């Protein structure tokens, strides 16, 4: 069987160490009763261990050469009658159709250049994905698992940990890949926490987090001014609150929720002031969720 050549434009780095492949595959056992979706199986080094697990199992692969290779591996369907291959782009998929609306475990050796996009799609479908595992760039894994007070703590840390418990499981050396990446890799596991509602406007929460971390060295009283337009700025009393002297990496997720509610209240007050100044009975919607739809990419 002809081997698949790794393609740079798809960010392919094929894992060659079978013991590590099995260790990654076994991370899905944290949610033992759910179907599994593997992203980017390549030549099936992880697939061969996942397919042995007695549950529905699908892989999604965008590379036609890899799809053809996997279809020749007829033993996968023999080992698991519920195994199937989806040819397509995970980022464009309707995840509710994968297992007919049923929850599932997401796993894979994720391409480095789209791993963050994969996890944001996971967040958008968090009701479907109670568990996500897999291998990513070491630096990204560290950021995702970092706690307040750490210099790696940032946008990805807050947005993911708001909904998931993140475990950094183990580090993987470049030498076990073909071709070897120029960076270290790491395996993580994310499990849904008990949070169902943040207790704030979730779109505004994302905007606040992104805004302050984009100026992470500045105090909140400086970075938050970007959220308010120059014609209708926030009151100086708003910026004199104690939390405003802190920097974003010092805030826990509950404190970010509190900060979001403070910003929301000030935006609403600012809107009322603007409404009165215009002598109008309606406001242009700047405090609604649609105004905060642009968040982290």
């Amino acid at each position: 069987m002809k081997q698949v050549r790794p393609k740079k434009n798809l960010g392919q780095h094929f894992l060659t160490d079978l013991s590590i492949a099995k260790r990654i595959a076994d991370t899905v056992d944290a949610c033992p009763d759910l179907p599994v979706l593997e992203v980017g199986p390549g030549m099936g080094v992880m697939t061969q261990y996942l397919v042995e697990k007695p549950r529905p199992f699908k892989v999604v692969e965008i590379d036609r050469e890899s799809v053809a290779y996997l279809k020749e591996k007829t033993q996968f369907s023999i080992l698991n009658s519920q195994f199937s291959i989806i040819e397509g782009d995970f980022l464009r998929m309707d995840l509710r159709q994968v297992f007919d609306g049923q929850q599932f475990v997401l796993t894979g050796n994720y391409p480095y250049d789209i791993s963050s996009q994969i996890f944001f799609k996971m967040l958008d479908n968090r009701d479907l994905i109670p568990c996500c595992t897999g291998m990513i760039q070491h630096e990204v894994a560290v950021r995702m698992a970092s706690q307040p007070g750490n210099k790696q703590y940032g946008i990805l840390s807050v947005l993911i940990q708001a909904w998931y418990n993140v475990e950094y499981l183990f580090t993987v050396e470049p030498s076990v890949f073909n071709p070897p990446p120029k960076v270290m890799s790491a395996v993580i596991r994310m499990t849904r926490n008990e949070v169902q509602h943040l207790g704030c406007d979730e779109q505004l929460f994302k905007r606040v987090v992104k805004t302050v971390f984009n100026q992470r060295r500045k105090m909140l009283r400086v970075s938050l001014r970007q959220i308010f337009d120059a014609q209708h700025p926030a009151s100086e009393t708003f910026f004199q609150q104690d939390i405003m002297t802190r920097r974003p990496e010092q805030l826990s997720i509950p404190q970010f929720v509190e900060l979001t509610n403070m910003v929301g209240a000030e935006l609403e007050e600012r809107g009322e002031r603007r409404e009165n100044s215009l002598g109008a009975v309606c406001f242009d919607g700047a405090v609604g969720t649609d105004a905060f739809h642009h968040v982290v990419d």
Side-chain angles (χ1 to χ4, degrees):
M1 188 180 295
K2 184 180 178 181
Q3 299 290 296
V4 178
R5 56 182 180 83
K7 300 169 185 64
K8 186 174 182 180
N9 67 308
L10 295 178
Q12 291 176 328
H13 295 274
F14 293 145
L15 182 63
T16 59
D17 189 308
L18 296 184
S19 63
I20 292 176
K22 187 177 188 307
R23 286 181 69 188
I24 301 172
D26 287 344
T27 61
V28 306
D29 292 341
C31 295
D33 301 321
L34 296 179
V36 175
L37 177 64
E38 181 187 2
V39 176
M43 290 191 293
V45 67
M46 282 175 52
T47 311
Q48 64 186 311
Y49 299 110
L50 289 165
V51 79
E52 294 176 344
K53 301 181 185 297
R55 52 171 121 177
F57 173 42
K58 296 183 180 184
V59 299
V60 54
E61 176 59 70
I62 196 172
D63 178 26
R64 293 181 179 178
E65 189 179 7
S66 293
V67 170
Y69 182 92
L70 292 170
K71 286 181 177 179
E72 291 184 28
K73 302 274 260 184
T74 54
Q75 65 267 36
F76 288 168
S77 296
I78 295 172
L79 286 169
N80 188 334
S81 62
Q82 301 180 87
F83 170 75
S84 63
I85 302 168
I86 303 170
E87 183 175 357
D89 183 351
F90 171 79
L91 295 178
R92 296 179 180 273
M93 289 173 59
D94 180 354
L95 298 187
R96 295 193 177 279
Q97 295 183 0
V98 178
F99 294 104
D100 298 322
Q102 184 180 355
Q103 289 186 327
F104 61 89
V105 180
L106 184 65
T107 193
N109 174 16
Y110 303 113
Y112 291 157
D113 56 347
I114 64 167
S115 62
S116 293
Q117 295 176 60
I118 288 172
F119 299 139
F120 287 130
K121 188 175 180 77
M122 172 196 74
L123 289 175
D124 288 341
N125 293 272
R126 57 184 178 270
D127 59 323
L128 282 177
I129 307 174
C131 184
C132 175
T133 77
M135 182 156 53
I136 57 176
Q137 186 175 342
H138 171 265
E139 180 183 349
V140 176
V142 169
R143 291 208 309 267
M144 289 169 59
S146 290
Q147 298 297 308
N150 190 308
K151 66 180 182 179
Q152 282 81 25
Y153 183 71
I155 297 172
L156 205 56
S157 319
V158 174
L159 297 185
I160 289 180
Q161 290 179 36
W163 303 104
Y164 286 84
N165 297 320
V166 182
E167 301 172 82
Y168 183 107
L169 298 179
F170 58 92
T171 304
V172 181
E173 299 286 338
S175 59
V176 299
F177 294 91
N178 174 38
K182 296 180 181 180
V183 295
M184 300 286 284
S185 301
V187 176
I188 59 163
R189 178 166 52 217
M190 294 172 282
T191 309
R192 269 291 273 130
N193 57 30
E194 300 299 320
V195 175
Q196 297 300 316
H197 303 284
L198 287 182
C200 66
D201 181 323
E202 293 177 14
Q203 295 300 326
L204 180 55
F205 175 82
K206 294 175 186 178
R207 186 182 179 192
V208 167
V209 171
K210 180 180 179 182
T211 297
V212 298
F213 274 113
N214 281 342
Q215 292 186 298
R216 62 181 304 135
R217 295 184 180 181
K218 297 185 182 296
M219 292 183 184
L220 299 178
R221 67 187 181 196
V222 176
S223 56
L224 282 175
R225 291 182 186 274
Q226 299 176 62
I227 289 182
F228 304 89
D229 64 65
Q231 286 74 30
H232 300 85
S235 66
E236 284 308 311
T237 302
F238 173 76
F239 290 115
Q240 289 170 2
Q241 298 177 85
D242 290 343
I243 196 172
M244 296 299 170
T245 62
R246 307 184 76 178
R247 291 178 172 80
E249 68 269 16
Q250 298 175 298
L251 268 59
S252 66
I253 291 170
Q255 288 171 323
F256 269 111
V257 170
E258 178 186 359
L259 180 64
T260 300
N261 284 328
M262 292 166 59
V263 171
E266 186 67 18
L267 283 168
E268 185 173 356
E269 174 65 22
R270 184 198 68 171
E272 290 176 357
R273 291 199 303 270
R274 179 179 182 182
E275 184 177 314
N276 291 336
S277 69
L278 294 174
V281 294
C282 61
F283 178 48
D284 67 1
V287 301
T289 56
D290 289 345
F292 307 116
H293 187 69
H294 177 68
V295 291
V296 180
D297 296 324

